[in-house]
Amino acid sequence: MRIEDNKGESASIKHLVFAYYVTGHGFGHATRVVEVVRNLISAGHDVHVVTGAPDFVFTSEIQSPRLFLRKLVLDCGAVQADALTVDRLASLQKYSETAVQPRDSILATEIAWLNSIKADLVVSDVVPVACRAAAEAGIRSVCVTNFSWDFIYAEYVMAAGLNHRSIVWQIAEDYSHCEFLIRLPGYCPMPAFRDVIDVPLVVRRLHKSRNEVRKELGIGEDVKLVILNFGGQPAGWTLREEYLPSGWLCLVCGASDTQELPRNFIKLAKDAYTPDLIAASDCMLGKIGYGTVSEALAYKLPFVFVRRDYFNEEPFLRNMLEYYQSGVEMIRRDLLTGHWKPYLERAISLKPCYEGGINGGEVAAHILQETAIGKNYASDKLSGARRLRDAIVLGYQLQRVSGRDVSIPEWYTNAENELSLSTGSPTHKMTETIPVLDSFTGDFEIVHGDHQGLPDTMSFLNCLVELDNVYVAEKNSEKRQMRERKAAAGLFNWEEDIFVTRAPGRLDVMGGIADYSGSLVLQMPIREACHVAVQRNHPSKQRLWKHALARQNAKGQGPMPVLQIVSYGSELSNRSPTFDMDLSDFMEGEKPISYERAKQYFAQDPSQKWAAYVAGTILVLMKELGVRFEDSISLLVSSAVPEGKGVSSSASVEVASMSAIAAAHGLSISPRDLALLCQKVENHIVGAPCGVMDQMTSACGEANKLLAMVCQPAEIVGLVSIPNHIRFWGIDSGIRHSVGGADYGSVRIGTFMGRAMIKAIASTTLSQSVSTANGVSPDELDNDGLELLEAEASLDYLCNLAPHRYEALYGKLLPESMVGEKFLEKYTDHGDTVTVIDKKRTYAVTAAAKHPVYENFRVKAFKALLTSANSDEQLTALGELLYQCHYSYSACGLGSDGTDRLVQLVQEVQHCKSSKGCEDGTLYGAKITGGGSGGTVCVIGRNSLRSSQSILEIQQRYKKATGYLPFIFEGSSPGAGKFGYLRIRRRNSPKSN
């Protein structure tokens, strides 16, 4: 090979000359370019690579005088704040500095250089300006990639507002000059390209066998080997020996020269040839990128991955990993704290099944060679303006599907409306632009119920109408629909009625984790909701998916009732979009299976564990109400309630699912009873030890009111109207919350331990009092005190203990913490049916027990204050109660850096306004919500434009500090009970006649 400077010329004019531009984003692009270039050079051609990657990436694989390396970066890709976090605004700013401001000089330089080397073809991975420069130089260009920067940056621009919108339009316009796209597997939507050729995986070849690599490393076949491949490690990260299971070794890529590693970690050289090392390993731990995913699939290596924030390529690669049974997701907290063992052990139990081609480099090189000598792979050319319109507008319309999590920005077709809205919620933006229709559209009609003018419901109904068209197109061999939509289109028998229900998420205003201790809680149903469509069919009329049909045929029993579910939004949630089972799987003889067995059933496949929230409702109806399901059931689930943000996404799915199934089967269940049944799904089948307030709010709540409920177990005491001068917001911290997580469960256990101890103290005190009083006349005894002790000795709910009694008699006697084994020795049981004490674990007791006692008092005070006169003092007092609740959460161990930061920002805004002598304040208080440990913060403020501006100010300040733009929850909507159900049918179906 030969290194040349920017003015170098080709060494040969007897062969084809390729100019290959490589984006500056990471090594993954350079490594796949290597394989295409190697094949081009093997065919006798010259290749000039324009790259910022180190020379060894190319020279370790290619030693040829026909390779020319030109050191230059023409786009920066995505700027990362650390190994796992993309800084969206910094990415746009850097791209502007790299490719926008010097654009004229870049074009002039590149046109001159392309002419100087007499390039026959320009290839781009995936540098936009290279396509434009080629067109200006009169040279054809081709892109080779699995994503394009207009798609990646689109969401960044939504966060940035108007400042950088022109960047994405310019990128798309540059790409429109490309001849066609050679598309790699795991691709994102790339609407800027009109013509596409799909090729197999581009994967670097192996130089050494697994045995050779292990022999060189001195590692036997009996040793489990994981390769740590992050392309740079999280800042300040210290690897520890105990991170790995016993007997394992870890190969570390990208370790610094000064980094000290434990004895079971092996530092690799910076120029180590990673494909050989990957193939010699038993699994890989890293972040998702094309290079890591393609090599993991090619060499059938299980991949334990950690998500990157805001790199929009990731969901599509993750989906491919999941499809080929090669991926296990690790949460970031477990990565950084070294809780690796369960993930690694899960990974080596996988059986990766990718059998597709891995010769994409050879195939792509052949196409490029044919193009360079004049073959035309593209369709007839249209005008530049027409091609750009087709590429951007029509491309995004065709690939946009209502209800899916991977949102393709609508501002491509409606830019002004989208970017003029000030809210921080993309879902809010989309729903506000949906027209509310007076009647159902198309060939369908609503024969029962009312959509109540809810924009998201109308959107969901229109989505169902479109599915019928998709099904017709599918029968006519139209294959362009996405997996979720195709699966949903084949789900329903369009001649039968479909039942639709809706259940919102909730904002925990007050009460939170005190619900399982019997507290009063105040909860607000939010705007975002889950919709479920359900249909029942006789088994002989049910359209089965192929594998379900094969399963039934193998049993030889004829048509049997089945459950088939499609869930929209699987790409961003690392889950399969479909789930199916024979309903007989829920039966053991003549009786339904146990909840424990059902829990194990759904836990056996992590990619489908989500189905427990939906299918679990059927088993609960079977066990608790004796319902027998003899028909097949089809469900479509579409939720706009974000997961992991502490706003009860799971409860909304459970309530909407059970409501729909009940409606389809003619079951009359009160909203309260339905909520209690849904709690059993979460507690006993999903295995999350939540209280009942989430399900109660989703089922029984009303728009713009706080549901007041005493959780003993679930007594609704009223609906509290939110005064016109008060408003609540939710601000997402970006830290994923899980009610099934160990923190929440351990605090709950500590609370029940505290209750058991208080009961024991009360019982002992009562016995001592009675014993001391022997021989004293009953009239002289303090009967009121004895009655209190009797009640406290048999305390059902910790919240029934008054704060002054807690302080006077019990608080100082409770231990700060206790090991599970010692507690069980002394007290036998903690009295909670949904949690199990770990004998080896130490549980905090004092803080966990104190929180619900005081929280119940705070909620009662909050409720009373809401009805007091409108004053600054009223709002200040309400806000103070929220602050007290927040810090009590932290004392229990359920805080997080992100939620603490948001609460601090609210305080800064509040006190800044106060110090400036503003007549009316804006924000008055904030608290972490739900199960804690991340999720969403609830904020209370005055209902005014200035308050909304303050919320947006906090949103931007949080983003500046963390790189994460919070999702803002604002507005309210009716619960499932108020919504009821819709029954829809085709106008020309037999039932309509």
Side-chain angles (χ1 to χ4, degrees), residues 707-767:
L707 181 77
M709 180 180 70
V710 176
C711 304
Q712 299 188 18
E715 302 303 323
I716 296 174
V717 295
L719 290 157
V720 182
S721 294
I722 301 173
N724 290 334
H725 66 285
I726 292 176
R727 188 171 185 181
F728 296 100
W729 295 265
I731 308 179
D732 163 41
S733 67
I735 299 172
R736 189 171 181 84
H737 150 90
S738 173
V739 78
D743 291 341
Y744 175 92
S746 65
V747 172
R748 176 168 176 152
I749 289 172
T751 304
F752 277 86
M753 282 180 169
R755 188 193 67 164
M757 294 177 191
I758 288 170
K759 289 171 67 176
I761 295 168
S763 180
T764 300
T765 306
L766 179 64
S767 298

Side-chain angles (χ1 to χ4, degrees), residues 22-25 50-53 70-77 98 106:
V22 187
T23 182
H25 180 77
V50 183
T51 181
R70 178 177 173 228
K71 309 298 286 188
L72 182 67
V73 175
L74 294 179
D75 77 74
C76 62
T98 306
I106 288 173

Side-chain angles (χ1 to χ4, degrees), residues 674-895:
L674 187 133
L676 290 170
L677 291 170
C678 288
Q679 186 196 19
K680 291 184 180 293
V681 176
E682 186 119 11
N683 286 172
H684 302 304
I685 300 177
V686 175
C690 70
V692 72
M693 70 177 189
D694 299 357
Q695 291 82 4
M696 290 293 287
T697 310
S698 187
C700 307
E702 293 186 17
N704 301 310
K705 295 180 180 180
L706 300 181
L707 181 77
M709 180 180 70
V710 176
C711 304
Q712 299 188 18
E715 302 303 323
I716 296 174
V717 295
L719 290 157
V720 182
S721 294
I722 301 173
N724 290 334
H725 66 285
I726 292 176
R727 188 171 185 181
F728 296 100
W729 295 265
I731 308 179
D732 163 41
S733 67
I735 299 172
R736 189 171 181 84
H737 150 90
S738 173
V739 78
D743 291 341
Y744 175 92
S746 65
V747 172
R748 176 168 176 152
I749 289 172
T751 304
F752 277 86
M753 282 180 169
R755 188 193 67 164
M757 294 177 191
I758 288 170
K759 289 171 67 176
I761 295 168
S763 180
T764 300
T765 306
L766 179 64
S767 298
Q768 292 171 348
S769 299
V770 172
S771 175
T772 303
N774 284 339
V776 179
S777 67
D779 293 338
E780 296 180 32
L781 288 174
D782 181 4
N783 288 327
D784 290 339
L786 291 179
E787 288 178 3
L788 279 173
L789 286 172
E790 287 175 355
E792 289 159 4
S794 58
L795 195 63
D796 288 334
Y797 295 98
L798 193 51
C799 285
N800 290 340
L801 181 65
H804 72 274
R805 292 287 293 176
Y806 172 84
E807 290 293 345
L809 298 178
Y810 305 110
K812 294 179 182 179
L813 298 179
L814 293 180
E816 184 176 334
S817 62
M818 181 172 280
V819 177
E821 187 172 27
K822 290 185 177 181
F823 174 86
L824 293 173
E825 289 174 358
K826 187 172 182 179
Y827 299 97
T828 307
D829 183 27
H830 67 322
D832 183 17
T833 60
V834 298
T835 57
V836 177
I837 294 176
D838 182 344
K839 292 182 179 181
K840 302 300 182 183
R841 183 163 186 173
T842 299
Y843 295 94
V845 176
T846 302
K850 183 178 180 179
H851 173 81
V853 173
Y854 280 87
E855 182 69 358
N856 189 41
F857 174 80
R858 285 189 289 262
V859 182
K860 289 178 178 179
F862 193 94
K863 181 173 179 287
L865 277 167
L866 280 173
T867 58
S868 64
N870 175 3
S871 67
D872 209 54
E873 288 75 15
Q874 176 210 28
L875 282 162
T876 300
L878 289 169
E880 179 61 28
L881 290 170
L882 261 66
Y883 286 139
Q884 289 181 19
C885 172
H886 177 79
Y887 292 110
S888 185
Y889 259 81
S890 296
C892 291
L894 291 175

Side-chain angles (χ1 to χ4, degrees), residues 15 290 321 394 461 481 512 576 783 990:
H15 306 280
Y290 179 86
L321 271 178
L394 298 183
L461 293 175
Q481 307 301 333
S576 167
N783 288 327

